Amino acid sequence: MDNNPLSFIEGLEEFHKAAEKEFPSWVHPWRMKGLARFKELGLPTTRDEEWKYTSIKPIAQARFQLSSQD
């Protein structure tokens, strides 16, 4: 399993662009820091102590999509 699925990163970047106009400007740096940290660490695996008994394989294989605002 890929620990840093591109679909999650692409989805988060898409969300960031869409949300940039809806949130105060001070949120932008925090969101960018969070995205950079996710790119660095990726998704947790069973090698991470807190996730030792939890497989997130189904989540990691899913395509990330923004929810509708409707």
Side-chain angles (χ1 to χ4, degrees), residues 4-66:
N4 203 0
L6 187 57
S7 64
F8 272 75
I9 292 171
E10 289 172 346
L12 288 170
E13 288 172 340
E14 183 181 337
F15 172 78
H16 177 71
K17 287 176 188 173
E20 205 166 12
K21 298 172 188 169
E22 297 180 34
F23 291 93
S25 60
W26 62 266
V27 174
H28 178 76
W30 290 99
R31 197 178 305 268
M32 294 305 294
K33 284 182 182 182
L35 181 58
R37 186 73 170 154
F38 180 76
K39 285 179 178 179
E40 178 185 331
L41 297 176
L43 293 169
T45 69
T46 54
R47 292 183 182 158
D48 297 305
E49 182 63 29
E50 297 84 6
W51 293 89
K52 185 160 71 173
Y53 301 109
T54 308
S55 172
I56 63 162
K57 190 173 183 176
I59 298 169
Q61 292 175 339
R63 177 79 180 140
F64 184 88
Q65 290 182 301
L66 295 177

Side-chain angles (χ1 to χ4, degrees), residues 22 66-70:
E22 297 180 34
L66 295 177
S67 64
S68 169
Q69 294 289 330
D70 299 335

